[in-house]
């Protein structure tokens, strides 16, 4: 091993210890359960050892010499020990599992809560699917520690050591002979298990590939048929199906060989014990009992004990490599989870010393410059001011920085250069909750929770009554749309609002913002296609929202913004033009060109 | 269990595999049972050694040990062989089964996929096939092994002492019933927990992808509570499984403990009285342990068996779903170009019969939550019109007026239920389906992109197209300027694992697909709704020469795109309310004129 590799290994082991100790910090609150579980484990392991020993006594002291005095008492003891093991084992398994479930519940909740606080920058860098995996798959891998019995490995160790002690005490030579096979067992299982694992990984990836193919083809089946690709699809599927079969056969072959090898090695040990131990028993029977010391000589009962114990000895040993794999997976998963918990990409909260001004509704951008992580300036040196009750539209091509204005104003990103003032105070001085209460936002992406339409309007604001929510909905003419549902506003919204059209969802998000009565409205206009009637309702609702309120509209279609007080035209993050619709049209610049391009004058 | 008969053809193909597998199982179990037998022989030699010559005893013991080694080696070999045969056989059966199911899916008409959600169909192909694999592999093997093990052990014990057999086996039925119940609980519980995990996962997904909305609306606490509830529920379901599992394990230990106690207590004195030998007495305890071991998993095996049988039935349901849109028995060949399209009395009703809905008789709890339109709904009501070759027809109407349904029927995606659709006087049902589809170019409103390159996606209906032809189609669909944004141009991988195109780009891809086809009839279903008006104009210009010489049907609610139509149909709620040319309809001052006024106002006000 090279020094570097050794160092890496050392560091790795320290690393694993760190993960384990942080995991322990989540288990600590449940240490009572854990201690109870471990104590029970010791007791059940002891019972597991005692039962065969009682059989040995029965053979040597009663059955073989033909002396039945005290035999029933021994049998009663046997019943008691077995019953205790059964009852306590149930309790022990449940206790350990419960401790694990509780600890991982805490971890999961803590992780989610931490992620909620992370800034948009973090979410720009990380794919949602991967993050979801942290909360689910990775924590499930930690769960495996408990359900696969890695946690109870301590019990296994105690069991193995006690077994050896008893066997050595019975006959140390035979014990050594019995252990001859053990290295082969460890070697075989660890060698084949590694290959079994990679074979299973290959199999899983092939299966998921196949499922992906099937999913895609089922989804696009109409296209396959109208474009007459059935034959092609069939021939594409064949190699995929074959590959799955082949990988399954491969994994199964290895698994079969492994289990056969373990069984074979077990039987060989039995043969070895009988052959060598039989000889010892024979000598012992012929010899005078007084000549034999502790650890030598062997009775028939003890021979039976060896066979029985070694059978029980093999199982935890052959599982060892599997448990090691589970442990490694869990530590890797734990590392990922804790690294996410350590993520510090938060939007800083103010110290809370600033006195918040009364709400007026004025916004000012002062020399605002902002870059995303890719380095390019999204906004550069932007300054403008909006008075109370005024309306402003921001237009520009995709990528001109329109949405960035919204994201900075609501502090989804932390601003470092320049300043944004709300009612005369820098927004960095506002606690983010207060800021976002003052600035109401309508986004393109409407987020609906499972619940009724009214609940989706009230969302997170218990102070808004259902009556008030319904009143607001009526004001935006939502009734016209939702009276098609038998329950009206009490209709349940299904998974992300599948039963609603995009226009209806937009209207709900309008109602949501209207219900919280923010002093400033920021709206990212939706580009989705809605029919003419809904479009009219949306326009109407927009007017209601903007009434007596400072408003900013991020506009994608120019037809909706011709009545605003002022229009900003952005180009590559800079303020290129500014003025009213008429002024900008007369100016004949970018705005004019955009307007003509949208074909608004053509029809 | 009668559904098992459906496996007939597959079993027949692999019958030797399964027969040989069964023989191997019998041999392996027999060899395995020999090991305690030789153990008993050794013990007997030892306990009776005082009356014998020590060397004879010694060689007898060596012989027994050697026999165990021989039985173990032979047993392990045969065991491997039996598993390879049976488990391997199950993989092969399932491979064939999957192929046949996929073949079936390719034949089922699009209307089947409208009625059955993708998830439902996928669950058949993935879960049900897997359950059948369990049935044909592990279940077969465990059941065979257990049966053989029982048979051999029972006869071995009976040869030692029928009395002890009766006592030792007595607790078995009780434990099998109990284990069966526990296994059922564990499996149901695990399934519930798994479903809860999926819910939890989609909750996290929702929260993270809605991060921006949640932060701006300060919904963190609200959302956190929702997550917590789910996580709590997941913990609760897991604990239920833990409890069931913790009850099953001691139950199985209990079986061997009870047997051992009975045998010891009763058998011990029998040895003392000389009724049985010590060796066979000890061998007997091993036989009972060998019988107890597979009994523990019997509960699981039985439920896997039942699940496999149910899955087999569900797959059967899939393969027995009537294929309503098939090639006619003796199709009339189409000569030359497609003739005049005539639609007469076309009526379509949705949601009436449960025909072809998978698992319609099963209670689906998820279904109840969803808003389902009660009763049937007429989507197209007695529609009739004609379209001469080379002409352009526009179909105008609000969302839900039946435009898309009409287009899908014309594209031969949906069956003609009532009324008639004909080309050149021949009913479409008599024309070759495959032939006809090759002559119709359908651009749906929303298209699906396969995980292939853009070029392959465009060449969907014409896999033999040259690069130049593909490039040309891409240019004509005004997709050329978007190529710069794609990392590898036309060779960029699209779809789930690749680049996601915008709505407008998808529509233009769908258009390019059809442009490559050179169809006789073009169907454009609101094709340019997500394309901005400027590009839409450009595409329409490009389409104009293509539309000349072939028939076109355009469905739209954007009236500015139908300036070239020879004839316009106005649909409302599935009914034809007006028809005529643009000018005549404006003059009539009806629905069309109203729509027209509203749209031109909305755009230029």
């Amino acid at each position: 091993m090279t020094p570097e590799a050794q160092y890496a290994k050392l560091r790795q082991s320290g690393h694993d210890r760190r993960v384990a100790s942080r995991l322990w910090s989540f288990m600590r609150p449940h240490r009572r359960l854990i201690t109870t579980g471990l104590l029970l484990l010791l007791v059940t392991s002891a019972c597991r050892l005692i039962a065969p020993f009682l059989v040995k006594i029965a053979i040597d002291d009663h059955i073989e010499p033909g002396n039945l005095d005290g035999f029933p008492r021994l049998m009663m003891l046997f019943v008691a020990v077995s019953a205790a093991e059964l009852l306590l084992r149930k309790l022990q398994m449940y206790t350990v599992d419960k401790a694990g479930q509780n600890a991982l519940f805490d971890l999961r909740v803590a992780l989610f809560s931490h992620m909620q606080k992370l800034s948009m920058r973090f979410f720009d860098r990380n794919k949602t699917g991967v993050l979801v995996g942290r909360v689910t798959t990775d924590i499930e891998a930690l769960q495996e520690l408990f359900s696969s019995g890695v946690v109870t490995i301590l019990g296994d160790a105690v069991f193995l050591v006690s077994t050896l002690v008893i066997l050595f005490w019975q006959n140390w030579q035979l014990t050594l002979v019995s252990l001859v096979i053990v290295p082969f067992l460890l070697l075989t299982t660890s060698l084949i298990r590694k290959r079994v694992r990679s074979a299973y990984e290959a199999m899983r990836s092939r299966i998921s590939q196949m499922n992906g193919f099937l999913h895609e083809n089922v989804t696009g089946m109409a296209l396959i048929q109208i474009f007459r690709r059935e034959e092609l699809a069939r021939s594409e599927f064949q190699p995929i199906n074959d590959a799955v079969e082949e990988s399954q056969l491969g994994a199964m072959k290895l698994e079969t060989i492994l289990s056969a090898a373990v069984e074979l090695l077990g039987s060989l040990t039995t043969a070895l014990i009988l052959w060598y131990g039989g000889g010892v028993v024979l000598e012992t029977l012929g010899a005078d009992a007084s000549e034999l010391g502790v650890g030598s000589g062997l009775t028939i009962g003890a021979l039976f004990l060896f066979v029985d114990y070694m059978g029980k000895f093999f199982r935890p040993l052959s599982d060892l490599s599997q448990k090691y794999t589970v442990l490694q997976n869990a530590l890797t998963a734990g590392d990922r989870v804790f690294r996410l918990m350590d993520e510090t990409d938060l939007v800083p909260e103010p110290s809370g010393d600033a006195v918040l001004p009364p709400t007026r509704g004025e916004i000012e951008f002062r020399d605002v410059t902002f870059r995303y992580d890719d380095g390019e300036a999204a906004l550069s040196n932007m300054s403008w001011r909006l008075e109370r009750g005024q309306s402003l539209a921001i237009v520009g091509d995709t990528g001109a920085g329109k949405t960035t204005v919204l994201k900075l104003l609501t502090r989804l990103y932390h601003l470092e250069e320049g300043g944004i003032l709300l009612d005369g105070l820098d927004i960095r001085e506002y606690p983010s909750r207060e800021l976002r209460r003052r600035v109401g936002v309508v986004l393109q992406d409407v987020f609906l929770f499972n619940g009724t339409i009214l609940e989706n309007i009230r969302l997170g604001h218990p102070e808004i009554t259902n009556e008030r929510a319904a009143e607001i909905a009526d004001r935006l003419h939502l009734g016209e749309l939702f009276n098609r549902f038998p329950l009206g506003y009490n209709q349940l919204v299904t998974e992300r609002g599948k039963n609603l059209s995009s226009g209806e969802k937009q209207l709900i998000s309008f109602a949501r913002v209207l219900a919280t009565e923010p002093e400033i409205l920021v709206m990212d206009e939706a580009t989705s296609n809605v029919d003419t009637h809904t479009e009219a309702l949306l326009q109407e609702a927009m007017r209601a929202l903007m009434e007596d309120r400072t408003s900013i509209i991020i506009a994608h279609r120019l037809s909706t913004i011709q009545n605003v007080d002022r229009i900003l035209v952005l180009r590559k993050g800079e303020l290129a033009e500014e003025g009213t619709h008429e002024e900008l049209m007369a100016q004949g610049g970018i705005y004019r060109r955009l307007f003509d391009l949208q074909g608004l004058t053509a029809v | 269990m009668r559904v098992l008969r459906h496996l007939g053809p597959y079993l027949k193909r692999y019958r030797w595999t399964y027969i040989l597998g069964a023989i191997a199982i019998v041999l392996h179990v027999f060899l395995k049972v020999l090991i305690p037998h030789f153990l008993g022989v050794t013990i007997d030699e030892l306990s009776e050694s005082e009356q014998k010559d020590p060397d004879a005893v010694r060689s007898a013991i060596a012989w027994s040990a050697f026999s165990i080694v021989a039985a173990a080696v032979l047993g392990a070999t045969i065991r491997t062989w039996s598993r390879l045969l049976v488990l391997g056989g199950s993989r092969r059966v399932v491979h064939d089964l999957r192929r046949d199911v996929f073949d079936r899916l390719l034949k089922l008409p699009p209307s089947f996929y409208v009625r059955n959600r993708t998830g439902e169909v996928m669950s058949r192909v993935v879960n049900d096939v897997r359950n059948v694999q369990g049935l044909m592999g592990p279940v077969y093997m465990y059941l065979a092994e257990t049966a053989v093990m029982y048979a051999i052990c029972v006869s071995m014990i009976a040869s030692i002492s029928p009395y002890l057999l009766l006592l030792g086996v007595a607790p078995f039925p009780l434990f099998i019933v109990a284990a069966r119940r526990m296994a059922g609980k564990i499996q149901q519980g695990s399934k519930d927990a798994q479903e809860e995990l999926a819910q939890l996962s989609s909750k996290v997904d929702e929260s993270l992808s809605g991060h921006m909305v949640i932060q701006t609306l300060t919904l963190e606490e609200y959302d956190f509570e929702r997550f917590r509830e789910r996580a709590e529920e997941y913990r609760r379901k897991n604990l239920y499984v833990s409890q069931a599992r913790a009850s099953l394990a001691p139950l199985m230990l209990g079986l061997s403990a009870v047997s051992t106690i009975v045998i010891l207590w009763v058998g011990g004195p029998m040895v003392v009285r000389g009724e049985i030998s010590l060796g066979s007495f000890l061998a007997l305890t091993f036989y009972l342990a060998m019988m107890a071991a597979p009994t523990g998993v019997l509960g699981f095996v039985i439920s896997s068996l039942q699940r496999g049988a149910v899955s087999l039935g569900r797959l059967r349901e899939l393969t027995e779903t009537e294929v309503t849109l098939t090639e006619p028995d003796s199709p009339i060949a189409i000569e030359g170009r497609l003739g005049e399209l005539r639609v007469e009395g076309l009526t379509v009703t949705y949601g009436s019969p449960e025909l072809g809905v998978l698992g319609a008789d099963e209670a689906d709890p998820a279904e109840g939550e969803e808003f389902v339109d009660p009763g049937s709904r007429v989507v197209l009501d007695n529609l009739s019109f004609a379209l001469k070759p080379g002409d352009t027809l526009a179909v105008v109407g609000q969302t839900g007026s039946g435009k898309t349904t009409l287009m899908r029927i014309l594209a031969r995606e949906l069956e003609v239920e009532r009324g008639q659709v004909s080309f050149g006087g021949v009913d479409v049902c008599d024309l070759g389906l495959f032939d006809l589809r090759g002559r119709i170019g359908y651009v749906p409103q929303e298209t699906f992109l396969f995980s292939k390159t853009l070029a392959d996606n465009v060449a969907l209906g014409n896999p033999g197209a040259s690069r130049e032809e593909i490039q040309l189609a891409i240019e004509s669909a005004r997709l050329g300027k978007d190529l710069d944004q794609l990392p590898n141009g036309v060779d960029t991988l699209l779809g789930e694992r690749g680049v996601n195109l915008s709505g407008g780009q998808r529509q233009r891809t769908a258009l390019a697909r059809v442009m490559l086809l050179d169809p006789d009839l073009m169907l454009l279903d609101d094709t340019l709704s997500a394309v901005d008006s400027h590009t839409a104009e450009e595409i329409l210009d490009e389409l104009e020469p293509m539309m000349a010489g072939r028939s076109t049907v355009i469905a739209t609610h954007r009236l500015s795109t139908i300036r070239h139509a020879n004839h316009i149909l106005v649909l409302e709620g599935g009914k034809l309310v007006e028809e005529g040319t643009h000018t005549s309809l404006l003059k009539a001052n009806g629905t069309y004129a109203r729509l027209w006024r509203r749209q031109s106002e909305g755009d230029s006000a």
Side-chain angles (χ1 to χ4, degrees), chain A residues 97 102 116 118 123 140 216 225 228-229 234 236 241-242 245 252 259 263 436 450 562 598, chain B residues 79 87 92 95 98 103 106 108 110 211 215 220 226 234-235 242 434 451-452 460 533 605:
Chain A
D97 251 13
N102 288 351
Q116 278 194 321
L118 294 170
F123 288 94
E140 286 304 296
E216 182 172 299
Q225 294 186 353
R228 311 192 294 171
R229 288 179 67 91
R234 200 170 285 136
E236 276 173 357
N241 193 14
D242 289 351
E245 185 195 9
M252 180 211 62
S259 61
E263 197 178 293
R436 289 169 188 161
N450 282 327
Q562 286 153 26
Q598 292 208 352
Chain B
R79 180 178 194 270
L87 298 180
R92 290 192 187 94
H95 168 268
R98 210 155 32 212
D103 265 4
L106 287 171
L108 287 168
H211 185 74
Q215 285 205 340
E220 287 95 339
R226 296 290 177 108
Y234 181 54
R235 169 168 67 166
S242 295
F434 195 71
S451 302
K452 297 171 183 292
L460 198 68
S533 27

Side-chain angles (χ1 to χ4, degrees), chain B residues 2 46 81 197 199 204 230 234 261 343 348 382 406 408 410 452 473 482 487 497 502 508 515 561 602:
Chain B
R2 280 175 55 200
L46 286 172
W81 194 43
L197 179 65
Q199 296 257 3
V204 177
R230 282 258 95 100
Y234 181 54
I261 289 167
V343 172
V348 178
N382 203 13
L406 173 63
R408 297 186 69 173
L410 295 181
K452 297 171 183 292
D482 299 84
R497 281 173 288 123
S502 73
R508 280 175 280 149
M515 288 183 157
T561 53

Side-chain angles (χ1 to χ4, degrees), chain B residues 182-438:
Chain B
M182 277 302 158
K185 259 182 143 177
I186 292 174
Q187 268 163 342
Q188 188 54 45
S190 309
K191 203 176 139 219
D192 291 348
Q194 217 47 47
E195 275 163 19
E196 195 56 45
L197 179 65
Q199 296 257 3
L200 183 74
S201 173
S202 70
K203 173 70 211 130
V204 177
D205 184 46
E206 180 183 83
S207 299
L208 295 182
S209 40
H211 185 74
M212 186 162 158
V213 188
I214 289 172
Q215 285 205 340
T216 51
L217 294 177
T218 55
L219 293 174
E220 287 95 339
E221 278 167 34
Y222 184 78
D223 193 49
F224 178 75
E225 265 323 299
R226 296 290 177 108
F227 169 79
R228 218 188 116 90
E229 278 165 25
R230 282 258 95 100
E232 180 64 57
E233 188 58 26
Y234 181 54
R235 169 168 67 166
R236 215 178 53 73
K237 297 218 158 121
N238 266 333
L239 281 178
Y240 176 82
V241 180
S242 295
Q243 205 160 18
R245 224 179 246 143
S247 310
L248 180 67
L251 197 65
M252 286 307 105
L253 282 175
L255 177 59
S256 67
V258 169
S259 295
T260 313
I261 289 167
V262 169
I263 297 299
L264 267 181
W265 210 322
V266 180
M270 286 173 77
V271 178
V272 173
R273 287 194 297 271
E275 290 166 29
I276 54 174
S277 74
L278 179 63
S280 35
F281 165 71
L282 287 179
L284 200 146
T285 62
F286 278 97
Y287 294 146
L288 278 173
M290 279 180 152
M291 283 174 72
T295 309
V297 286
L298 205 56
F300 288 104
V301 176
I302 293 170
S303 29
S304 297
L305 175 73
Q306 287 173 337
R307 233 171 350 165
V310 169
S311 287
L312 208 52
R314 282 160 53 95
L315 285 173
R316 192 71 189 164
E317 203 184 305
L318 185 69
T319 47
E320 276 177 356
T321 303
E322 204 187 335
V323 177
T324 39
L325 195 62
T326 46
E327 289 287 342
D329 293 331
S330 46
I332 298 172
I334 305 169
E335 280 160 32
R337 294 229 138 189
L338 274 181
E340 187 191 28
L341 163 69
R342 285 194 86 85
V343 172
E344 270 160 88
L346 183 64
T347 301
V348 178
T349 315
Y350 269 175
S352 36
E354 261 87 53
L355 175 84
V357 179
L358 290 174
D361 49 339
E362 293 167 27
D364 186 357
E367 204 73 41
E369 294 168 13
E370 231 163 274
F371 178 74
V372 187
D373 209 341
S376 60
R377 194 160 61 90
V378 177
V379 184
L380 284 178
D381 193 357
N382 203 13
L383 185 64
S384 303
F385 63 87
L387 174 65
K388 284 199 198 64
D391 276 6
T392 298
L393 175 77
V395 184
V396 172
Q398 298 275 7
T399 315
S401 56
K403 300 189 299 276
T404 298
T405 306
L406 173 63
M407 297 301 250
R408 297 186 69 173
I409 286 182
L410 295 181
R412 289 299 272 149
E413 246 191 63
L414 298 180
E415 300 87 333
V416 179
E417 280 172 25
R418 260 196 293 160
Q420 200 193 32
V421 177
S422 62
F423 286 102
V426 184
D427 193 304
V428 284
C429 302
D430 297 327
L431 292 171
L433 188 63
F434 195 71
D435 195 7
L436 190 59
R437 279 175 175 165

Side-chain angles (χ1 to χ4, degrees), chain A residues 557 594-600 602-603, chain B residues 528-540 558 560-561 603:
Chain A
R557 288 176 304 176
L594 277 173
F595 197 87
D596 290 346
L597 202 65
Q598 292 208 352
L600 292 173
V603 179
Chain B
L528 303 174
S529 62
V531 175
D532 67 72
S533 27
H534 182 64
T535 314
E537 289 292 319
E538 284 183 3
I539 294 175
L540 284 173
R558 201 197 250 177
S560 57
T561 53
D603 278 359

Side-chain angles (χ1 to χ4, degrees), chain A residues 35-56:
Chain A
T35 323
T36 315
L38 290 180
L39 281 178
L40 285 171
L41 187 63
L42 290 183
V43 177
T44 50
S45 296
C47 291
R48 200 146 58 114
L49 277 171
I50 294 171
F53 201 79
L54 292 178
V55 178
K56 180 223 174 245

Side-chain angles (χ1 to χ4, degrees), chain A residues 109-124:
Chain A
V109 167
L111 183 65
F112 183 82
S113 162
H114 179 73
M115 282 207 281
Q116 278 194 321
K117 298 191 191 90
L118 294 170
S119 87
M120 281 291 287
R121 260 188 213 277
F122 174 79
F123 288 94
D124 290 344

Side-chain angles (χ1 to χ4, degrees), chain A residues 314-327:
Chain A
F314 254 52
R315 191 152 338 123
L317 279 184
S318 64
D319 286 347
L320 209 58
S321 58
Q322 196 172 18
K323 287 185 179 173
Y324 181 68
T325 308
V326 172
L327 182 68

